[in-house]
Amino acid sequence: MRIFKFGGASVKDAEGVKNVARILEMVGHSDTLIIISAMGKTTNALEVVVRNYFEKKNFQESIDVVKNFHYEIIRDLFSNENHPVYWKVDGLFAELISFLERNKSPKHSFVYDQVVSFGELISTTIISQYLNDCGIKNTWLDVRNLIKTDSNFRDAAVNWEDTQENIVNNVNKSLLNITQGFMGSDSNFFTTTLGREGSDYTAAIFAYCLDAESVTIWKDVPGVLNADPRYFEKTELLHKIPYTEAIELAFYGASVIHPKTLQPLQRKEIPLFVKSFINPTSSGSSVCNVTELEPKVSCFILKKGQVLISLSSLDFSFIVEENISYIFKLLHDAKMKVSVIQNSAISFSVCVDNKFDTLSDLLEKLKARFKVSVFENVDLYTVRHATEQSIKEIESNKEVLLKQVLQNTVQLVVLG
Ligand code: ADP
Ligand code: ASP
Ligand code: MG
């Protein structure tokens, strides 16, 4: 069985949905399970709904933005005004609004997951209906009946045993199945999400549980490049990538692949193909069981909007095991994702991603025990297989706040 994943960029408008149908006709769709993300930037728009709901302002306007965006796509795809897709999508919006009207929970992360997951429910409903109309007969599956997680809302961890059992027992391999990326449900059947951009990971979960022959993620780039073309001018396509290299690239922030995607695939040696939805027949990149990156070039990763926190002891004492374990406990409690660490006898620097908006709380706790300086909005460059020339290019005209040279990897934190 093959697993395909179509991300937000591939289904950002009616033309994108039509293109998905064309790709399926072109590459075939038997023995295939398709994971689909929310359309375009819907998840961001639903984040605004959540924010406005808690701030009690412009709530209706923010819902209307999401509604109008989807109904425009629907009108483009379905000429029949009485098509069942209308009442299905109406039903989903009614469910979303009814949840918010009834909700009594003040917990932001819980409400967030119940709301943003509608992006995937709506997109898969529209696309499943459209493909059926095009003669690509498919079954729509609610992923919440399959992927079980803990209740760590917004960053839920998969319960592999239950998930494996559900997937094996409920996915009919002889049909074309369509389901949602990014989401699952906890033991109380509340919706959970796996972390932003998590639909690639969903594809890997299904691949692992179904012993799939491959996963293909369809992107707006020709494959995995040696740098993000949004920020770097000359880029090269990486044809073959060992799992370990792909894990490193994704971990350091090459956002073309969600970092959690690789581990389940590597464990079963399932190849991951990253292909262009614009040129579906071009070869793209394969992450697979090879030993060397091909071509062997320097790879550049830029993570913007990071926070550099530097700590030193108040009394000139060493920052050693006891302090470090305390610092890490605070970072863990604040759900900070740590990108770089550097320490000396009396100082400790850490570059973090303030994903869950917990920075001010964390700083307050750190200040009680350390002298703290903070640079917000710094850029983190990571270079794999760096050459002196490639480092020089990054350093030129920038103020470097921290530099770390490891065997294969150079990291630079610079003022944004
Ligand atoms: P999806 O539509 O599946 O959510 P993403 O937008 O998450 O797709 O991923 C594709 C984007 O990843 C590209 O548009 C590109 O800007 C970015 N990207 C970051 N690093 C790389 C890289 N090394 N190679 C290719 N694309 C990259
Ligand atoms: N829709 C989700 C997001 O935008 C998941 C995904 O696209 O992978 O984060
Ligand atoms: Mg994405």
Side-chain angles (χ1 to χ4, degrees):
M1 188 170 217
R2 295 174 309 172
I3 312 293
F4 285 175
K5 178 253 168 170
F6 289 96
S10 67
V11 291
K12 68 178 197 306
D13 51 23
E15 199 37 57
V17 178
K18 291 177 189 167
N19 188 46
V20 168
R22 277 196 293 272
I23 292 176
L24 294 176
E25 296 288 15
M26 209 182 296
V27 302
H29 46 80
S30 59
D31 300 330
T32 306
L33 183 140
I34 303 177
I35 312 291
I36 302 177
S37 304
M39 294 172 142
K41 302 274 179 229
T42 298
T43 309
N44 294 355
L46 286 165
E47 284 184 341
V48 176
V49 171
V50 176
R51 197 177 324 131
N52 288 357
Y53 168 78
F54 278 108
E55 290 176 5
K56 300 189 168 52
K57 59 158 206 216
N58 304 336
F59 169 67
Q60 193 55 47
E61 284 91 323
S62 53
I63 289 265
D64 287 344
V65 169
V66 183
K67 270 193 175 172
N68 294 340
F69 171 72
H70 286 95
Y71 282 109
E72 195 179 318
I73 294 178
I74 294 174
R75 278 193 298 273
D76 251 341
L77 292 174
F78 304 89
S79 46
N80 173 4
E81 280 172 22
N82 299 315
H83 195 286
V85 74
Y86 281 96
W87 61 257
K88 286 192 184 212
V89 173
D90 287 348
L92 288 168
F93 277 111
E95 216 181 290
L96 165 60
I97 289 161
S98 142
F99 163 76
L100 289 169
E101 281 170 358
R102 283 179 296 112
N103 175 59
K104 301 255 176 336
S105 171
K107 291 194 180 119
H108 178 272
S109 294
F110 166 77
V111 173
Y112 179 101
D113 281 4
Q114 310 318 302
V115 172
V116 298
S117 50
F118 275 91
E120 270 68 12
L121 292 168
I122 296 167
S123 70
T124 50
T125 300
I126 297 172
I127 295 164
S128 165
Q129 291 284 315
Y130 179 75
L131 294 178
N132 267 327
D133 284 10
C134 297
I136 303 175
K137 295 292 170 223
N138 65 85
T139 311
W140 183 93
L141 296 171
D142 188 330
V143 79
R144 292 171 296 185
N145 298 327
L146 304 173
I147 295 185
K148 299 305 293 185
T149 70
D150 63 11
S151 301
N152 188 18
F153 296 102
R154 287 187 71 182
D155 197 16
V158 172
N159 173 336
W160 283 94
E161 224 169 281
D162 292 354
T163 299
Q164 168 97 41
E165 195 180 318
N166 292 338
I167 289 180
V168 167
N169 291 335
N170 293 296
V171 173
N172 182 338
K173 287 192 184 185
S174 61
L175 302 173
L176 172 64
N177 297 280
I178 294 193
T179 196
Q180 306 78 39
F182 173 59
M183 51 195 279
S185 71
D186 71 0
S187 53
N188 297 314
F189 279 89
F190 284 118
T191 305
T192 54
T193 63
L194 309 173
R196 283 301 308 261
E197 304 293 330
S199 298
D200 294 346
Y201 181 42
T202 306
I205 297 169
F206 276 92
Y208 181 90
C209 294
L210 292 166
D211 286 319
E213 69 181 64
S214 64
V215 172
T216 306
I217 53 180
W218 298 92
K219 300 275 172 174
D220 60 354
V221 279
V224 182
L225 306 166
N226 72 327
D228 187 337
R230 279 177 303 178
Y231 308 123
F232 294 83
E233 267 172 20
K234 279 181 269 158
T235 56
E236 277 185 69
L237 177 67
L238 305 176
H239 297 280
K240 294 243 164 16
I241 311 168
Y243 290 107
T244 44
E245 183 67 43
I247 287 175
E248 297 282 354
L249 291 173
F251 172 80
Y252 287 120
S255 61
V256 64
I257 307 175
H258 187 277
K260 285 186 185 167
T261 313
L262 279 317
Q263 197 238 18
L265 301 181
Q266 185 267 336
R267 283 177 63 191
K268 289 202 174 173
E269 293 190 3
I270 299 169
L272 170 68
F273 302 124
V274 182
K275 281 169 144 309
S276 159
F277 62 74
I278 303 155
N279 286 308
T281 51
S282 64
S283 60
S285 305
S286 321
V287 179
C288 53
N289 208 2
V290 288
T291 48
E292 285 262 304
L293 183 63
E294 186 195 313
K296 191 138 199 231
V297 287
S298 299
C299 298
F300 302 86
I301 300 149
L302 168 59
K303 266 181 132 175
K304 286 177 164 280
Q306 304 289 291
V307 183
L308 180 67
I309 307 173
S310 295
L311 309 172
S312 52
S313 47
L314 291 169
D315 58 359
F316 227 61
S317 61
F318 295 135
I319 298 213
V320 286
E321 294 79 0
E322 189 205 342
N323 290 328
I324 292 176
S325 71
Y326 176 71
I327 296 166
F328 269 94
K329 186 187 175 305
L330 294 184
L331 289 167
H332 178 73
D333 292 348
K335 294 189 179 180
M336 282 291 177
K337 305 275 180 196
V338 175
S339 329
V340 192
I341 323 158
Q342 198 168 65
N343 72 311
S344 72
I346 53 163
S347 74
F348 181 94
S349 295
V350 61
C351 186
V352 295
D353 207 341
N354 182 25
K355 263 192 174 170
F356 297 101
D357 225 358
T358 48
L359 183 65
S360 39
D361 270 7
L362 171 70
L363 292 178
E364 202 173 301
K365 288 183 183 130
L366 287 168
K367 280 177 186 160
R369 234 166 110 169
F370 303 97
K371 199 167 139 232
V372 181
S373 70
V374 187
F375 289 94
E376 288 190 51
N377 217 6
V378 294
D379 291 341
L380 168 63
Y381 285 87
T382 304
V383 188
R384 300 268 303 157
H385 318 294
T387 59
E388 259 175 50
Q389 179 58 27
S390 57
I391 302 301
K392 264 201 202 124
E393 273 170 32
I394 292 194
E395 282 177 331
S396 75
N397 304 325
K398 295 191 188 79
E399 187 171 339
V400 178
L401 301 170
L402 182 154
K403 179 171 177 176
Q404 187 158 285
V405 183
L406 292 170
Q407 208 179 20
N408 241 330
T409 310
V410 177
Q411 293 195 285
L412 296 158
V413 177
V414 306
L415 274 185

